[in-house]
Amino acid sequence: SHESEREITHAYARGDVWWFFEARGYRTVCSDTFPFMRKEDADVLLAGMLSDEIFLGLFVDSSSWFLLGKLSRQVYMPVRGMSRGQWRDQLEATMDHTVRFAHAEEPVLMLSHIICPHGPYVYGVEGDLDEMTVDLETETAMQSTREEQIIRYTAQVEGLNARVLEMVDGVLESPRPLVLVLMSDHGPHAWYHERADRRGIRERMSNLFAVYATDGRTDGFYHTITPINVFPVIMNTWFDQSFSLRPDRSWLSDHIRQLDFEEVTDSLHGY
């Protein structure tokens, strides 16, 4: 239900991780493609596109943080009616903001939510993107065949990969020591028009997880890590904490019965 979705979003936005870093003097920054799962009380909430003139004019010193955060909350663009060109620009802006804040003088915890490579499809698409309107109702796998989704998704991944590598290179040029985590929240969903079988479950639960640390201390991470243990490892490794790790378990719901979760951990064993 929409009420359940709001509860989950609210819990995410006010999670203990944010408070942990804020208590240690970190500025919290959230850059999101559009207002979905976001940190509503972040010091700075970057709402998609800010021009270079506005961004660079405000991002000068610590006294500008509040003003920048207040201004950026006003410039979200509605998804309905947006062109594919505008959607692509939102994605690009989110990645650009990530690079800029990696070079901040103050310690920063930054969440960049890049809503890609699933639809709306903007990479590997023929034609003038500015003339194509985003229609969320027809962007889902519910409205196309598995084969069509595979073709569109693959082209999108190839285009996005090149852009993400540029973002990572820009972040790593920062003179500050840093920990960079690049992770996805789910895998492809070309099976969404039907209840998932074992292959579909593995497809949906396959996630990218990559981590880089300036000091090279990444031994605490492991191949089968799930999101619940990512920040405990970070806190234990770099902040001298002793959080216990929780069992790595996975749950899944399909598009028809959203939030009707079933555990699929056993289906992923050996994968």
Side-chain angles (χ1 to χ4, degrees):
S1 68
H2 291 298
E3 182 177 348
S4 297
E5 292 178 4
R6 283 194 296 269
E7 290 177 359
I8 292 174
T9 302
H10 181 77
Y12 168 90
R14 300 185 179 279
D16 291 343
V17 167
W18 296 97
W19 296 336
F20 178 93
F21 282 89
E22 288 170 350
R24 285 158 178 78
Y26 278 68
R27 295 285 184 173
T28 54
V29 182
C30 181
S31 183
D32 206 343
T33 305
F34 77 104
F36 176 53
M37 297 283 280
R38 67 179 189 270
K39 176 68 166 61
E40 295 180 348
D41 58 350
D43 293 318
V44 179
L45 174 59
L46 291 169
M49 293 183 290
L50 287 174
S51 70
D52 284 346
E53 292 77 12
I54 293 175
F55 193 102
L56 295 177
L58 292 173
F59 186 42
V60 178
D61 52 42
S62 59
S63 64
S64 300
W65 282 92
F66 175 76
L67 182 58
L68 175 58
K70 185 174 181 180
L71 173 66
S72 62
R73 283 171 165 82
Q74 311 304 317
V75 297
Y76 271 124
M77 299 180 64
V79 179
R80 293 189 182 278
M82 183 186 294
S83 72
R84 290 182 189 269
Q86 289 172 317
W87 183 264
R88 177 203 55 210
D89 292 343
Q90 295 274 61
L91 295 170
E92 299 276 339
T94 299
M95 289 183 270
D96 289 341
H97 295 328
T98 304
V99 173
R100 284 166 170 160
F101 274 94
H103 292 254
E105 294 182 1
E106 299 178 82
V108 173
L109 169 66
M110 182 165 190
L111 167 67
S112 295
H113 185 199
I114 302 168
I115 306 177
C116 200
H118 59 62
Y121 293 101
V122 295
Y123 295 106
V125 177
E126 296 182 0
D128 186 351
L129 295 181
D130 292 327
E131 299 298 323
M132 302 178 188
T133 301
V134 171
D135 184 353
L136 295 182
E137 300 301 323
T138 60
E139 289 287 349
T140 67
M142 294 286 291
Q143 305 295 329
S144 59
T145 66
R146 178 180 177 84
E147 289 70 26
E148 290 171 335
Q149 282 292 307
I150 290 173
I151 292 173
R152 299 168 76 186
Y153 192 94
T154 301
Q156 181 107 309
V157 167
E158 291 175 348
L160 179 65
N161 279 353
R163 186 62 182 84
V164 168
L165 287 174
E166 292 178 7
M167 177 190 72
V168 170
D169 288 341
V171 169
L172 296 185
E173 290 176 357
S174 171
R176 295 183 59 87
L178 57 84
V179 176
L180 174 63
V181 176
L182 185 64
M183 60 186 296
S184 61
D185 56 353
H186 60 75
H189 53 184
W191 53 266
Y192 246 22
H193 61 285
E194 60 188 27
R195 190 68 173 175
D197 56 15
R198 184 178 177 86
R199 182 180 66 172
I201 292 173
R202 288 183 169 182
E203 176 186 294
R204 184 63 168 172
M205 303 305 290
S206 296
N207 277 292
L208 169 68
F209 180 83
V211 60
Y212 169 87
T214 304
D215 61 8
R217 298 166 62 194
T218 58
D219 292 344
F221 299 98
Y222 48 95
H223 177 67
T224 56
I225 195 169
T226 54
I228 198 170
N229 285 321
V230 171
F231 272 99
V233 171
I234 290 175
M235 295 168 181
N236 292 347
T237 302
W238 287 281
F239 295 91
D240 298 322
Q241 301 299 303
S242 56
F243 291 106
S244 299
L245 300 188
R246 300 187 183 184
D248 289 297
R249 301 167 65 186
S250 299
W251 285 264
L252 179 67
S253 68
D254 62 19
H255 189 71
I256 304 299
R257 295 182 287 182
Q258 296 185 36
L259 304 182
D260 179 16
F261 292 100
E262 62 177 288
E263 185 169 2
V264 295
T265 306
D266 290 343
S267 297
L268 305 176
H269 284 171
Y271 181 56

